[in-house]
Amino acid sequence: MKISLQSRRAKILAGVSGLAALAVIGVATVAVASGFGTSLKDKVQKEFPNTPITSADCDKGPANLCEVVAGSNVFYVTRDAKFAFVGAVLDLENKVDVTDVRLRELAAVGQAEARIRGAAPAAPGAAGAPGVEPASAPAAPADSPIIRVTLPKANAVVHNPGAPLKMTIFTDLNCGFCKRLHDDLKNVRDIEVTEYPIAFMGPDSPEKAKLALCAKDRVAGIDAIYSGGEVVTSGDCAAAEAAVAANVEFARQNGINGTPMIVRADGRTNSGWMPVNELRAFLGGAS
């Protein structure tokens, strides 16, 4: 069975007022009443009870949308909080991926905070550039939790099985940083990635996670979900739905409320995206 994510996306986008204009140009900021942002944050938090909302700001959203920051992730809502848009927003006039720019800003802040907490600074050079490694493995922050993953691999998508470096990761398939890390690792062959899809960020996150685990080729299915393509499923997805529920419950019990959550072989964790060269060093530092 082939399931097209593009057709579903079209239906979602059609319901969001002003979204077509949003994708074309940046629109001047519209003033909002004092305290509106706080009220909006509360509304969004109510709709996404399992996702801690950091901020909701209509001064920062493109066009007529308001920017919502959930940890290291970004999505957008209408001012009445009736519609949410999870995905990349493109400024076609200036040829800029507005969402990616914002994610990079948040990543820079996150890396600065990690250094303040005692993590090693990021290595110089382009992210993922071959042959560029930090002098030593970045240490996980002292307060970084240890997670012993007891979920079966049947609940995961396994990339590069048998590769020397081992990484477990919890992802929400609506997460911008998860997609970025996925794209970074596409041509990396020395890291075995065991990816557990969870669902808490968007209303269609459970469906995407289920499709990933129900796909005949799970790796190809993840690629298709991130790119908006077709997922070929094995038919009955009841087992996949149960696996997603188990993954979500494990994440809840272990305090995973942001993605990507990276777990190395010794259970040390890193919450958020890492450049590939830094990721290799982090994984190699497992005791």
Side-chain angles (χ1 to χ4, degrees):
M1 179 186 299
K2 289 185 178 181
I3 299 177
S4 172
L5 297 178
Q6 290 284 16
S7 60
R8 293 183 180 183
R9 180 178 296 176
K11 291 178 182 178
I12 293 171
L13 299 189
V16 182
S17 174
L19 193 55
L22 169 156
V24 179
I25 58 172
V27 177
T29 301
V30 178
V32 295
S34 175
F36 181 80
T38 302
S39 174
L40 178 64
K41 179 184 174 184
D42 292 342
K43 290 180 181 178
V44 176
Q45 186 64 78
K46 182 179 179 181
E47 296 299 325
F48 297 93
N50 296 322
T51 304
I53 302 300
T54 307
S55 65
D57 192 338
C58 292
D59 288 339
K60 292 183 178 178
N64 292 317
L65 294 185
C66 304
E67 177 195 89
V68 178
V69 176
S72 59
N73 297 309
V74 175
F75 63 100
Y76 307 95
V77 297
T78 51
R79 292 173 180 270
D80 56 8
K82 289 185 177 180
F83 296 95
F85 174 60
V86 179
V89 173
L90 306 180
D91 179 342
L92 298 183
E93 181 178 357
N94 296 306
K95 304 297 187 288
V96 173
D97 183 333
V98 176
T99 306
D100 184 64
V101 170
R102 187 69 174 118
L103 289 174
R104 288 174 185 272
E105 291 175 352
L106 292 173
V109 171
Q111 289 171 5
E113 290 176 341
R115 288 194 290 272
I116 292 170
R117 293 195 306 266
V132 179
E133 298 289 348
S136 60
D143 59 349
S144 172
I146 293 178
I147 296 178
R148 305 297 184 189
V149 180
T150 57
L151 291 164
K153 284 201 173 183
N155 288 20
V157 180
V158 181
H159 310 256
N160 301 323
L165 294 173
K166 310 295 183 184
M167 177 177 83
T168 298
I169 185 170
F170 290 85
T171 59
D172 185 303
L173 296 174
N174 278 318
C175 158
F177 274 125
C178 298
K179 180 182 186 304
R180 184 175 175 186
L181 186 58
H182 173 84
D183 291 343
D184 288 347
L185 293 173
K186 267 189 176 181
N187 298 314
V188 172
R189 295 291 175 259
D190 61 336
I191 302 176
E192 178 183 294
V193 180
T194 302
E195 180 176 1
Y196 289 97
I198 58 176
F200 64 86
M201 188 174 176
D204 61 343
S205 291
E207 180 69 9
K208 288 182 176 181
K210 181 182 75 173
L211 287 177
L213 296 183
C214 190
K216 284 187 175 180
D217 182 333
R218 290 183 173 183
V219 173
I222 287 274
D223 285 339
I225 291 168
Y226 276 130
S227 63
E230 289 186 340
V231 179
V232 180
T233 69
S234 56
D236 184 4
C237 294
E241 188 171 8
V244 172
N247 292 354
V248 170
E249 178 59 19
F250 179 88
R252 185 191 67 78
Q253 290 180 0
N254 286 273
I256 299 173
N257 53 24
T259 54
M261 173 61 80
I262 299 168
V263 186
R264 70 187 188 188
D266 63 356
R268 282 289 179 189
T269 57
N270 180 85
S271 180
W273 171 86
M274 301 175 79
V276 173
N277 55 333
E278 189 177 338
L279 177 61
R280 280 195 181 102
F282 173 72
L283 298 175
S287 56

